[in-house]
Amino acid sequence: MPIQVLMPALSPTMEKGNLAKWLKKEGETIKSGDVIAEIETDKATMEVEATDEGTLGKILIPEGTADVAVNTPIATILADGESAADLAKAPAPAAKAAESAPPAAAKAEAPAPKAAPAPQAVAEPDPEVPAGTEMVTQTIREALRDAMAEEMRRDADVFVMGEEVAEYQGAYKVTQGLLQEFGAKRVIDTPITEHGFAGVGVGAAMTGLKPIVEFMTFNFAMQAIDQIINSAAKTLYMSGGQMGCSIVFRGPNGAAARVAAQHSQDYSAWYSNIPGLKVVAPFSAADYKGLLKAAIRDPNPVIFLENEVLYGHTGEVPKLDDFIIPIGKARVVRSGSHVTIISWSNGMTYALKAADELAKEGIEAEVIDLRTLRPMDTETIINSVKKTGRAVTVEEGWAQSGVGAEIAARIMENAFDYLDAPVARVSGKDVPMPYAANLEKLALPSAAEVVEAAKAVCYR
């Protein structure tokens, strides 16, 4: 069946872009990784790479078309053995894309297929939410914004600082509307100097204020790691408890979409290694809100690891006056009896998809969302492994010295006699993140790898 090439997004906030140029013509042979087109926005230009092989059967959107909606079909690739007659067999789009502005020669655009819904951690009721609570549907960026706004209204010492958090409303629109409500003294645009503004934030926290420091990406926080670890994390101990540092460092962590090795690293293991820090990495919209509010109130420095890919995902959030989730408590999001799958942040996407596939083969997986990496909820992990006798960890970071390795060690220390198979780890591949789309996909974990690992420990 012919394969549709969709208009990609340069970022989670991108809705439209310009199809600047086609680099391949109809009838040309396409290989996986070939650059077939260029798209652009007012901020960036990106090459569109083919992820499948075949022949460029038909160009659906001509070059020069402006404001092409994300996920609009822009071309069709024919597989080996297919011809132009097979173009009619291309999957029919399920939803109409937002309108694009074609050039004069263009007639009309094709509608976009409906995106598959992301897995949601809703299989088991959340014990933190009272029964009968009204729920509202929000994106994760909206849940984060509401958490900050509620805490800023509650406590005048809370403020936000970072690159583009004010006038631009946040690089990912997470801080949208905060400047208008709280003013420039509490929503502060900083220069592009992470070491500098992280230090200002740490100093402010030491005087009793409660900064929320946003990094455009945690990759840039490497410039500020001395301030985070040597100043924020260690001062309480080194001052004999006389000087605290109530501060939240938040922003996207890990792989996004084709931003290459220097912008794709997962720092979960780095920060969770440090005494004095608390490290949070949620998956669901409700957890993002409840845990960020808890982090802002915590007297210790908190690393709040978000995920760029998840910002636009939606979920049910409790409509409560003060919804707080305690830091350090994992959640069983799906009950099972054959194998325990443990993950956090975007790793939960693979874990939940894998659990669905395993169920089709008669394997019932219990899925745990850690939510917090430090302090880690060892008790919930061990109780589950004692029930299932098997465990698989899932993370986008590298395997060596990873969080999965720490989980495996704790299982060995606390539940060795209950194990029926060695703990299996699924992780990102041991390479810097490639830029090419097809190689990036191979470098990240997949639901299929989680299924394979779970079946292996179940001897299936």
Side-chain angles (χ1 to χ4, degrees):
M1 181 178 291
I3 301 164
Q4 289 184 335
V5 180
L6 304 182
M7 181 70 171
L10 293 178
S11 74
T13 56
M14 175 178 162
E15 296 179 353
K16 297 180 180 181
N18 304 328
L19 205 161
K21 180 168 43 174
W22 281 103
L23 302 177
K24 293 285 186 179
K25 298 178 181 178
E26 290 183 0
E28 288 193 37
T29 299
I30 303 293
K31 294 181 180 179
S32 180
D34 282 355
V35 178
I36 60 175
E38 289 183 357
I39 64 171
E40 60 184 22
T41 66
D42 60 339
K43 285 187 169 246
T45 298
M46 186 176 84
E47 297 171 337
V48 179
E49 290 186 6
T51 56
D52 299 279
E53 298 188 354
T55 302
L56 186 56
K58 187 172 181 61
I59 291 174
L60 302 174
I61 303 293
E63 64 181 39
T65 303
D67 296 333
V68 181
V70 169
N71 286 333
T72 299
I74 59 175
T76 303
I77 294 177
L78 298 172
D80 289 342
E82 293 180 330
S83 65
D86 295 300
L87 289 171
K89 299 178 183 177
K96 187 173 181 180
E99 291 186 0
S100 303
K107 299 286 186 182
E109 79 241 19
K114 185 180 292 183
Q120 298 295 328
V122 295
E124 294 293 315
D126 191 336
E128 306 299 333
V129 180
T133 299
E134 181 184 353
M135 308 294 278
V136 295
T137 300
Q138 288 189 307
T139 64
I140 283 173
R141 65 166 56 88
E142 290 169 341
L144 288 167
R145 178 204 63 205
D146 285 359
M148 288 187 285
E150 288 174 16
E151 292 306 300
M152 291 174 78
R153 295 181 195 119
R154 174 181 173 273
D155 188 342
D157 288 336
V158 178
F159 69 96
V160 181
M161 62 189 302
E163 296 160 1
E164 298 188 342
V165 299
E167 295 293 341
Y168 190 66
Q169 308 284 306
Y172 305 99
K173 306 306 177 192
V174 173
T175 54
Q176 193 163 28
L178 296 186
L179 175 65
Q180 287 70 25
E181 179 174 353
F182 299 103
K185 287 188 176 181
R186 296 184 66 193
V187 185
I188 304 167
D189 276 331
T190 65
I192 304 175
T193 168
E194 285 75 16
H195 180 77
F197 68 74
V200 170
V202 171
M206 289 177 176
T207 67
L209 297 177
K210 297 178 181 178
I212 305 168
V213 176
E214 176 180 306
F215 294 117
M216 195 176 291
T217 159
F218 263 94
N219 298 274
F220 300 160
M222 289 181 70
Q223 303 290 331
I225 205 160
D226 179 65
Q227 302 285 12
I228 296 170
I229 293 175
N230 277 332
S231 296
K234 298 177 181 177
T235 297
L236 182 66
Y237 174 81
M238 295 180 71
S239 67
Q242 298 179 74
M243 185 179 292
C245 188
S246 179
I247 186 171
V248 176
F249 298 99
R250 51 155 295 269
N253 169 68
R258 295 192 61 209
V259 290
Q262 293 176 331
H263 289 183
S264 298
Q265 190 160 326
D266 185 341
Y267 292 90
S268 301
W270 282 44
Y271 289 113
S272 64
N273 181 249
I274 307 300
L277 294 178
K278 294 187 177 182
V279 183
V280 178
F283 171 64
S284 71
D287 288 349
Y288 266 94
K289 181 176 183 180
L291 283 164
L292 182 55
K293 287 170 66 71
I296 293 168
R297 297 184 191 186
D298 200 287
N300 301 286
V302 178
I303 304 294
F304 199 92
L305 301 175
E306 300 160 12
N307 187 278
E308 183 178 336
V309 174
L310 296 177
Y311 280 143
H313 288 198
T314 59
E316 296 296 309
V317 179
K319 191 175 181 181
L320 297 170
D321 291 336
D322 198 18
F323 175 58
I324 299 285
I325 292 176
I327 291 174
K329 183 63 179 173
R331 180 185 169 207
V332 177
V333 300
R334 178 175 181 140
S335 293
S337 57
H338 297 138
V339 59
T340 300
I341 301 176
I342 307 146
S343 194
W344 57 95
S345 188
N346 198 39
M348 287 293 297
T349 303
Y350 315 116
L352 290 171
K353 285 181 179 178
D356 288 339
E357 292 301 313
L358 289 165
K360 297 174 184 177
E361 301 188 39
I363 299 174
E364 293 299 329
E366 181 149 294
V367 182
I368 296 176
D369 182 357
L370 278 185
R371 305 196 292 193
T372 302
L373 305 181
R374 186 182 185 103
M376 187 179 291
D377 185 358
T378 306
E379 182 180 3
T380 295
I381 298 170
I382 299 305
N383 287 343
S384 178
V385 172
K386 285 180 177 180
K387 177 174 70 171
T388 66
R390 299 169 175 87
V392 176
T393 68
V394 185
E395 61 188 310
E396 289 194 329
W398 295 310
Q400 179 161 332
S401 307
V403 178
E406 175 64 23
I407 295 169
R410 295 192 185 199
I411 293 172
M412 184 201 69
E413 291 167 352
N414 296 282
F416 181 80
D417 291 339
Y418 292 87
L419 286 173
D420 294 323
V423 177
R425 291 185 290 160
V426 176
S427 68
K429 309 308 180 291
D430 197 26
V431 294
M433 183 62 68
Y435 171 72
N438 56 329
L439 296 179
E440 180 183 61
K441 184 178 180 180
L442 293 172
L444 289 168
S446 67
E449 291 173 342
V450 181
V451 169
E452 183 181 1
K455 291 171 73 173
V457 299
C458 290
Y459 303 112
R460 294 281 292 272

